[in-house]
Amino acid sequence: MNIILFEKDELKSECIVLTDHRAKHIAKVLHSEPGDCVRIGEIDGKIGTGKVVSIQNRYPFLVELSVSLSARPAPPPSIDLILAMPRPIMLKRILSQVTALGIGTMYLVNANRVEKSFWDAGILNEDEYRPHLLHGLEQAVDTRLPEIKIFRYFLPFVEEYLPDLGTQYSSCIIAHPDSPNSLSDCLKNQDGGILYAVGPEGGWVDFEIEKFLAAGMKDFSIGSRILKVDTAAVSIHGRISQLLG
Amino acid sequence: MNIILFEKDELKSECIVLTDHRAKHIAKVLHSEPGDCVRIGEIDGKIGTGKVVSIQNRYPFLVELSVSLSARPAPPPSIDLILAMPRPIMLKRILSQVTALGIGTMYLVNANRVEKSFWDAGILNEDEYRPHLLHGLEQAVDTRLPEIKIFRYFLPFVEEYLPDLGTQYSSCIIAHPDSPNSLSDCLKNQDGGILYAVGPEGGWVDFEIEKFLAAGMKDFSIGSRILKVDTAAVSIHGRISQLLG
């Protein structure tokens, strides 16, 4: 935890009182004492410092902070991700990893090779996925919560939603091992945001690739090595960030 | 599992007999029948096909394959990694992820912020780490097992081993958030291999950075976002691969 995040409505008269894992972190990891300052941030707001007014450094933990907010976090690279719904345990990891790397919106979509049972997973409830996003922000010292948009049905997403969505980006690209195009071929125009798509284990089926291309996306390959979804999502984010410079 | 790997000494008269998880995979995931061909590879050797001669497709699984090897796997990007010894559960994931991405040698080294207990972990025994490397190769359809070299003490590694080692690479680079240099600044010469270093949670201490620089490495930063070790190792591998083209 490299920043202590709080909700806007926790702030009262420029003070917050923490009693949960954040209080424990300040007490047991940071070993803060009254008068010390810790880095804090308001979720979807500014970053600043919290001065420890009082602290109870054993259970039940309690930390009172006097809050001073100053700066917006540095803007992340403008990268968004379309992800075929992965196994829930893998989704949790991807949520915090791409949040840490910096992402605006993640579109979770269905695909032929997505197991139907994945759509019953609790992680699709905001109450359950939000902590993984916060975890990524706490890691990366950011306050901007990514948006998560869930599309249980493939065709409405790709036929009705994606064509309009795509016009908001400078490049919309889809990773596909069989593609003859390189990533740098597809990112010639880097003035706006990038939307990249990563398929399920086993890949997109041909029909899905055709639909994505018809919706205006360009296919690319990063080589013949077949990667797990989490490795691909993180590695391609790195590649795009490098090309954006 | 996108390729079935076997040890050289399992091959007898151009045949292998499998009775373990590989046999189960061929029976229950691939649903192979006699006459079908599966992709196979000899560890550190060639890739080819295994024709199913006979199969017992329920427990106890048994598959007999007639082996025909033809091609070497495509060469991976020539990237090696120095990694400060991470938490064992994270090391397992990194081992299979960077193996899947393609790596030659991983140097596991000590650092000030490495917890001493990590060095007692069973994962440092070859019997325990090798399956995670094989897992990465099975994912990426490769046969080249990375080398793992373990350095329990930091100073002998950085003072005695690294200066000579570094001469074998075109660039030796170390990720450090405070660095003013970009990754592309450090990889101007891309004719040979790249050796990159990723620190522990909390980062390298100043003394360690000084020692790495004195040994000939160049420091670089990929921005102000603080990443977990596994995210950093995979993301930077992607960035380097993109620059190598």
Side-chain angles (χ1 to χ4, degrees):
Chain A
M1 202 184 295
N2 297 307
I3 184 170
I4 306 289
L5 295 176
F6 61 90
E7 308 281 351
K8 190 183 178 77
D9 64 9
E10 288 183 289
L11 189 64
K12 302 216 162 83
S13 310
E14 295 181 355
C15 240
I16 51 172
V17 177
L18 306 175
T19 57
D20 55 10
H21 65 285
R22 297 169 295 178
K24 184 175 177 185
H25 181 84
I26 293 169
K28 303 301 275 188
V29 178
L30 302 180
H31 301 292
S32 298
E33 296 183 3
D36 289 350
C37 285
V38 299
R39 185 157 51 187
I40 60 171
E42 182 184 300
I43 294 169
D44 283 326
K46 290 181 175 174
I47 284 178
T49 52
K51 191 171 180 177
V52 177
V53 176
S54 68
I55 185 162
Q56 160 80 18
N57 59 11
R58 55 194 157 72
Y59 187 84
F61 298 100
L62 189 147
V63 177
E64 187 183 4
L65 296 174
S66 165
V67 170
S68 164
L69 297 176
S70 49
R72 297 231 152 243
S78 40
I79 301 178
D80 289 350
L81 170 61
I82 295 172
L83 186 69
M85 176 66 189
R87 191 172 295 278
I89 194 170
M90 185 172 276
L91 177 58
K92 294 175 189 177
R93 197 154 64 229
I94 295 173
L95 287 171
S96 62
Q97 286 194 301
V98 298
T99 302
L101 288 164
I103 205 154
T105 302
M106 184 192 287
Y107 305 89
L108 277 172
V109 305
N110 197 21
N112 186 275
R113 296 201 175 113
V114 169
E115 280 186 32
K116 285 202 173 51
S117 64
F118 294 175
W119 291 105
D120 302 326
I123 188 69
L124 290 172
N125 299 318
E126 187 173 355
D127 285 355
E128 291 206 30
Y129 69 66
R130 200 167 187 270
H132 299 282
L133 303 177
L134 291 176
H135 187 67
L137 295 179
E138 289 165 350
Q139 174 64 37
V141 191
D142 193 2
T143 66
R144 289 189 186 80
L145 210 53
E147 266 198 274
I148 305 295
K149 298 191 174 176
I150 297 172
F151 294 83
R152 173 71 181 84
Y153 298 100
F154 178 76
L155 280 178
F157 173 75
V158 80
E159 288 183 341
E160 293 160 30
Y161 191 85
L162 184 57
D164 277 352
L165 177 70
T167 62
Q168 301 169 22
Y169 297 91
S170 71
S171 298
C172 300
I173 56 177
I174 181 164
H176 186 49
D178 295 342
S179 170
N181 309 313
S182 76
L183 178 59
S184 54
D185 291 340
C186 293
L187 291 193
K188 293 253 185 274
N189 170 13
Q190 301 164 8
D191 294 339
I194 310 294
L195 176 64
Y196 76 109
V198 172
E201 300 290 338
W204 306 103
V205 298
D206 290 345
F207 169 79
E208 290 161 348
I209 291 288
E210 285 161 21
K211 284 291 180 186
F212 277 118
L213 299 185
M217 299 194 78
K218 288 187 194 157
D219 57 305
F220 72 97
S221 164
I222 54 165
S224 60
R225 305 179 79 86
I226 305 172
L227 302 177
K228 278 191 183 286
V229 173
D230 54 348
T231 312
V234 170
S235 173
I236 294 171
H237 191 291
R239 284 172 176 264
I240 295 171
S241 301
Q242 189 60 42
L243 286 170
L244 295 181
Chain B
M1 202 185 295
N2 296 307
I3 185 169
I4 306 289
L5 295 176
F6 61 90
E7 307 280 352
K8 190 185 180 74
D9 64 10
E10 288 183 289
L11 188 63
K12 301 213 163 86
S13 311
E14 295 179 355
C15 242
I16 51 172
V17 177
L18 306 174
T19 56
D20 56 11
H21 65 286
R22 296 168 297 177
K24 185 175 177 184
H25 181 84
I26 293 169
K28 302 302 274 187
V29 179
L30 302 180
H31 301 292
S32 299
E33 297 185 1
D36 289 349
C37 285
V38 298
R39 186 157 48 186
I40 59 169
E42 181 184 300
I43 294 168
D44 282 326
K46 290 181 174 172
I47 284 178
T49 53
K51 191 169 181 179
V52 177
V53 177
S54 68
I55 186 163
Q56 160 79 20
N57 58 10
R58 55 196 156 73
Y59 186 83
F61 298 98
L62 189 146
V63 177
E64 187 183 4
L65 296 174
S66 166
V67 170
S68 163
L69 297 176
S70 49
R72 296 230 153 244
S78 40
I79 300 177
D80 289 350
L81 169 61
I82 296 172
L83 186 69
M85 176 66 189
R87 192 171 296 278
I89 194 171
M90 184 171 278
L91 176 57
K92 293 175 189 177
R93 197 155 63 229
I94 295 174
L95 286 171
S96 62
Q97 286 193 303
V98 298
T99 301
L101 288 164
I103 207 156
T105 302
M106 184 193 286
Y107 304 90
L108 277 173
V109 305
N110 197 22
N112 186 274
R113 295 198 177 115
V114 169
E115 280 188 32
K116 283 202 174 52
S117 64
F118 294 173
W119 291 104
D120 301 326
I123 188 68
L124 289 171
N125 299 318
E126 188 174 353
D127 285 355
E128 291 205 29
Y129 69 67
R130 201 166 186 270
H132 300 281
L133 303 178
L134 291 176
H135 187 66
L137 295 179
E138 288 165 351
Q139 174 64 37
V141 191
D142 192 2
T143 67
R144 289 190 188 79
L145 210 55
E147 266 198 275
I148 305 296
K149 296 190 176 178
I150 297 170
F151 293 84
R152 174 72 182 84
Y153 298 100
F154 178 76
L155 280 178
F157 173 76
V158 79
E159 289 184 339
E160 292 160 30
Y161 191 85
L162 183 57
D164 277 353
L165 176 70
T167 62
Q168 300 169 22
Y169 298 90
S170 70
S171 298
C172 299
I173 57 178
I174 181 164
H176 186 50
D178 295 342
S179 170
N181 309 312
S182 74
L183 179 58
S184 55
D185 292 340
C186 293
L187 291 193
K188 292 252 185 273
N189 169 13
Q190 301 165 8
D191 295 338
I194 309 295
L195 176 64
Y196 77 110
V198 171
E201 300 292 336
W204 306 104
V205 297
D206 290 345
F207 169 79
E208 290 161 348
I209 292 288
E210 284 162 21
K211 283 291 179 184
F212 276 117
L213 299 185
M217 299 193 79
K218 288 186 194 159
D219 58 305
F220 71 98
S221 165
I222 55 166
S224 61
R225 305 178 79 85
I226 305 173
L227 302 177
K228 279 194 183 283
V229 173
D230 54 347
T231 312
V234 170
S235 173
I236 294 171
H237 191 290
R239 285 172 174 263
I240 294 171
S241 301
Q242 190 60 42
L243 285 171
L244 295 181

